[in-house]
Amino acid sequence: MNLLNNSLMVLPLLALGFTAVSSLQYSRNDFPPDFVFGSGTSAYQVEGAANEDGRTPSIWDVFAHAGHYGVAAADVACDQYHKYKEDVKLMADIGLEAYKFSISWSRLLPSGRGPVNPKGLQYYNNLIDELITHGIQPHVTLHHFDLPQALEDEYGGWLSQESVRDFTAYANTCFKEFGDRVSHWTTINEVNVFALGGYDAGITPPARCSPPFGLNCSNGNSSIEPYIAVHNILLAHASATNLYKKQYKVLLPSSSSISSSFITQDKQHGSVGISVYTYGVVPLTNSVEDKQATARVNDFYIGWILHPLVFGDYPETMKTNVGSRLPAFTKEESEQIKGAFDFVGVINYMTIYVKDNSSSLKPNLQNFITDLAAELTLFGNTTFEIEHANTPWSLQQILLYIKESYENPPVYILENGQVTRHNSSLEDTTRIKYLSSYIEAVLHSLRKGSNVKGYFQWSLMDVFELFGGYEKSYGLYYVDFKDPNLKRTPKLSAHWYSSFLTGTLHQPSHASS
């Protein structure tokens, strides 16, 4: 199908094809009334206006302009900065109940700290108000791979504990300015992948790594920096979360000793969480060694983040394998971080086979993968370059693992979706099958006692992807990046998701050009 066909011709064709993939064994009504369904994007991937109205570069801007995506960057992206009203209308058209987006730290605080940029403040106030006007819950992420480059240059960003202070002040600004309307806050997006990509493999911002690990990095230390970055991120998350609980959710007496610059008189009722990238895991064989390696993978990928938040320290397997390269929490830090969350954000797309590789634990150069002591292979003969294998049981596995291992905290599925090539057909039946089966897995998890509270499909529209730039697509809406107006066109999956959410075969309208 030619994606540039006149929209009046495309819609009937999509409607005809819809019935072949629209039958479900469950409905929206099978989920609790307070369960929320949404979709998501992030600031750098969708906003554009990278050099407008006082915004300064983030580490992702610098990473993109260094040529990691060829000549591509997100200076314009989907231009949601200027088209937010149009995009909120698209969300309302398909019946979205919530929208997960991120705030650009360097748009709101161009120096990373200090004065608020009035234009940035106005934009996020406008976006939030527009969402609420249309009955859509705003779910806000504070950091999505986009630390202000100013802080990276000044003290090394997340490698310095100064980041804890600056992130807390930034979070405070967001709570103060938007917290009267925003009730769901995610501090840091997929902490584990951010650290591994940015400080071990060097394939995501800020592109730090060291030989023999990583790709073409001139700065970094793959053996220690991922652990340092996560440690500081966890401290920053806990600091911001505890700030919110003490100074926004609970009114303080006037005699409180806490700095007056962080005090608000407005009581809020929101929740603060952090998100973790997860894999479904399958031992390659039934051997004891592969099963132990599979448990180790969960400790290293999930426990790395959740164990300190629930129990106050890193998993014993990590402490044993990483040794002195793993930072230690002081007694005071352990007490601050333990319980410093209201929910866990789960990001899940794929499943991996796990094979033991204990021989990698040698007294030589080490990094996360050698510390993990396991070989990982994507399930189903897939690669990162093609569509994900449809393994919905892996999401159910993760939800039940968190339930059983981490005291069943509230969970939001903050990202889940199917990738295709950007210029593939609007009839994205594989995406529909994927979403349908994963949402069903969430329902099964609920019925098995998982405390899951919401599901967000990734992504609302085609965006600038972390892995693949504009070549890959997860969107419900196709974006024509060659069109000066960046026209949005609904894919078949947009109709399917709308039908699921509304209980009818609902055809979302096109955005105006």
Side-chain angles (χ1 to χ4, degrees), residues 460-473:
L460 174 68
M461 63 185 70
D462 297 343
V463 300
F464 183 84
E465 285 294 340
L466 178 64
F467 299 105
Y470 297 111
E471 299 300 316
K472 294 182 180 180
S473 159

Side-chain angles (χ1 to χ4, degrees), residues 17 48 225 273 413 502:
E225 287 189 0
I413 313 302
T502 63

Side-chain angles (χ1 to χ4, degrees), residues 435-486:
L435 295 176
S436 173
S437 59
Y438 275 77
I439 291 173
E440 185 175 24
V442 174
L443 181 59
H444 290 325
S445 302
L446 265 169
R447 290 172 173 170
K448 291 178 179 292
S450 171
N451 195 12
V452 59
K453 299 293 188 181
Y455 173 92
F456 289 78
Q457 175 270 347
W458 184 268
S459 54
L460 174 68
M461 63 185 70
D462 297 343
V463 300
F464 183 84
E465 285 294 340
L466 178 64
F467 299 105
Y470 297 111
E471 299 300 316
K472 294 182 180 180
S473 159
Y474 286 86
L476 298 174
Y477 283 89
Y478 170 80
V479 178
D480 185 354
F481 292 110
K482 295 181 180 179
D483 177 8
N485 293 311
L486 296 164

Side-chain angles (χ1 to χ4, degrees), residues 121-412:
L121 180 63
Q122 180 183 23
Y123 169 69
Y124 292 113
N125 272 324
N126 289 343
L127 173 59
I128 291 165
D129 289 346
E130 192 73 13
L131 289 167
I132 291 171
T133 297
H134 286 79
I136 299 169
Q137 290 180 17
H139 287 237
V140 173
T141 299
L142 296 178
H143 178 283
H144 194 115
F145 287 83
D146 58 351
L147 181 86
Q149 185 65 35
L151 302 185
E152 184 74 20
D153 292 340
E154 180 182 342
Y155 54 67
W158 290 113
L159 296 177
S160 168
Q161 283 209 1
E162 291 186 55
S163 60
V164 177
R165 173 202 64 204
D166 286 338
F167 181 78
T168 304
Y170 161 56
N172 177 67
T173 299
C174 294
F175 298 152
K176 180 172 61 178
E177 299 291 350
F178 312 124
D180 58 331
R181 290 152 293 156
V182 174
S183 297
H184 303 84
W185 300 95
T186 301
T187 53
I188 314 289
N189 179 71
E190 54 187 35
V191 181
N192 46 2
V193 164
F194 173 69
L196 294 174
Y199 298 92
D200 188 346
I203 57 174
T204 63
R208 296 180 63 87
C209 62
S210 60
F213 313 108
L215 296 173
N216 303 320
C217 297
S218 57
N219 296 298
N221 186 328
S222 298
S223 294
I224 63 172
E225 287 189 0
Y227 300 116
I228 294 171
V230 166
H231 195 75
N232 289 330
I233 286 172
L234 287 171
L235 293 174
H237 161 81
S239 177
T241 303
N242 291 329
L243 167 75
Y244 186 83
K245 289 182 177 181
K246 292 175 182 176
Q247 298 161 41
Y248 287 88
K249 292 191 79 168
V250 179
L251 289 175
L252 290 175
S254 58
S255 61
S256 170
S257 61
I258 297 176
S259 170
S260 60
S261 64
F262 280 171
I263 293 179
T264 177
Q265 295 302 311
D266 298 324
K267 190 170 184 179
Q268 298 177 16
H269 304 280
S271 58
V272 183
I274 195 168
S275 84
V276 182
Y277 190 95
T278 65
Y279 289 109
V281 288
V282 180
L284 185 64
T285 73
N286 286 323
S287 70
V288 172
E289 292 79 8
D290 285 358
K291 290 178 180 178
Q292 290 174 338
T294 300
R296 212 159 47 239
V297 167
N298 279 333
D299 277 347
F300 269 70
Y301 275 94
I302 300 175
W304 191 13
I305 313 304
L306 296 194
H307 216 82
L309 291 172
V310 176
F311 303 114
D313 201 0
Y314 294 114
E316 287 299 321
T317 50
M318 292 194 74
K319 293 166 72 173
T320 298
N321 287 15
V322 182
S324 61
R325 289 177 291 114
L326 185 67
F329 295 108
T330 66
K331 182 179 179 181
E332 181 182 10
E333 288 170 344
S334 179
E335 291 171 352
Q336 290 172 346
I337 199 169
K338 184 177 179 180
F341 71 106
D342 297 309
F343 67 85
V344 173
V346 165
I347 294 174
N348 179 263
Y349 293 94
M350 293 178 284
T351 303
I352 53 176
Y353 286 117
V354 180
K355 182 180 186 300
D356 178 66
N357 186 26
S358 296
S359 62
S360 69
L361 294 171
K362 299 174 181 177
N364 53 16
L365 283 175
Q366 299 288 112
N367 77 332
F368 180 88
I369 292 298
T370 59
D371 295 335
L372 179 62
E375 294 178 2
L376 311 178
T377 308
L378 285 175
F379 184 91
N381 297 317
T382 60
T383 71
F384 286 102
E385 303 302 318
I386 61 175
E387 294 178 359
H388 306 318
N390 193 343
T391 56
W393 46 266
S394 73
L395 178 54
Q396 183 172 326
Q397 177 193 79
I398 293 298
L399 292 173
L400 296 180
Y401 175 79
I402 292 174
K403 167 183 176 284
E404 293 159 6
S405 302
Y406 294 106
E407 302 178 352
N408 202 17
V411 171
Y412 288 88

Side-chain angles (χ1 to χ4, degrees), residues 2-4 71-73 76-79 83 421-424 462-463 470-471 478-489 513:
N2 185 346
L3 294 179
L4 302 181
V71 298
V76 177
C78 304
D79 199 26
K83 300 169 80 71
R421 302 295 296 176
H422 177 248
N423 285 312
S424 56
D462 297 343
V463 300
Y470 297 111
E471 299 300 316
Y478 170 80
V479 178
D480 185 354
F481 292 110
K482 295 181 180 179
D483 177 8
N485 293 311
L486 296 164
K487 183 177 180 181
R488 286 85 153 120
T489 304
S513 299

Side-chain angles (χ1 to χ4, degrees), residues 22-28 30 436 440 443-444 447 500:
S22 62
S23 60
L24 291 177
Q25 302 302 312
Y26 61 92
S27 74
R28 172 67 182 88
D30 289 313
S436 173
E440 185 175 24
L443 181 59
H444 290 325
R447 290 172 173 170
F500 167 69

